[in-house]
């Protein structure tokens, strides 16, 4: 029994190892075991191997170039929504917010199931030349684990040189 628990702990310890990747020049570290799906230019999605977490990243060039703070202000105005907290990511202006809500769930046979608690953490940033929006969706089951992981992903963001 102890050997099985130790094996499980060792297996899970590498589940969130981060690896470097680039999206439209924006550098960040993402969980190596997560599935990457590229969408339209500048859009990418990452899904955890087990249901419970995913994130989507959209990266765009800024034209014409402008101050990073003004760019973030414009992003926040376009996104509206709940109160945003100002921050700095990758040495440039950024902001984030978090929303908890119940999402409808569907059972295996298509019947309605009990709602699932979901937390959505949204992050935006801009250095005046590149802007990005990162949306992390977390189910309540893995929230503590994946919330810390989301903070590591955001902290790893670096703008193109």
């Amino acid at each position: 029994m102890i050997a099985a628990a130790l094996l499980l702990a060792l297996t899970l310890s590498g589940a969130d190892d981060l690896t470097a990747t680039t999206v439209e020049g924006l550098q960040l570290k993402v969980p190596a075991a997560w599935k990457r799906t590229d969408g339209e230019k500048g859009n990418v999605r990452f899904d955890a191997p087990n249901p419970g977490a995913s994130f989507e990243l959209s990266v765009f060039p800024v034209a014409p170039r402008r101050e990073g703070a003004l760019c973030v202000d414009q992003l926040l105005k376009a996104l509206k929504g709940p109160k945003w907290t100002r921050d700095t990511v990758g040495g440039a202006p950024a902001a984030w917010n978090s929303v908890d809500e119940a999402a409808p769930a569907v059972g295996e046979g298509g019947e309605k199931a009990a709602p699932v608690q979901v937390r959505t953490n949204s992050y935006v940033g801009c250095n005046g030349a590149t802007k990005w929006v990162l949306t992390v969706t977390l189910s309540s089951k893995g929230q503590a684990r994946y919330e810390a992981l989301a903070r590591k992903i955001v902290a790893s963001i670096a703008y193109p040189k």
Side-chain angles (χ1 to χ4, degrees), residues 62-126:
V62 176
R65 293 178 83 132
R66 61 195 70 124
E67 288 186 28
L70 174 60
C71 180
V72 168
D73 288 344
Q74 292 169 334
L75 280 168
L76 296 181
K77 185 176 180 182
L79 293 171
K80 299 178 184 168
K83 185 177 193 279
W84 291 83
T85 302
R86 300 293 179 144
D87 207 342
T88 300
V89 173
W96 63 272
N97 72 25
S98 184
V99 175
D100 291 319
E101 57 194 338
V106 178
E108 290 180 26
E111 73 279 355
K112 287 187 177 181
V116 177
Q117 282 300 118
V118 175
R119 173 169 290 168
T120 303
N121 294 337
S122 299
Y123 306 86
V124 299
C126 183

Side-chain angles (χ1 to χ4, degrees), residues 139-149 151:
S139 72
S140 58
K141 291 180 181 178
Q143 200 167 20
R145 170 185 172 195
Y146 291 128
E147 192 121 33
L149 183 60
R151 286 192 296 274

Side-chain angles (χ1 to χ4, degrees), residues 16-40:
D16 294 332
D17 288 344
L18 300 179
T19 186
T21 193
T22 303
V23 178
E24 295 300 311
L26 192 74
Q27 301 167 3
L28 68 156
K29 293 183 179 177
V30 300
W34 288 32
K35 179 185 174 197
R36 177 179 174 150
T37 305
D38 290 299
E40 294 180 27

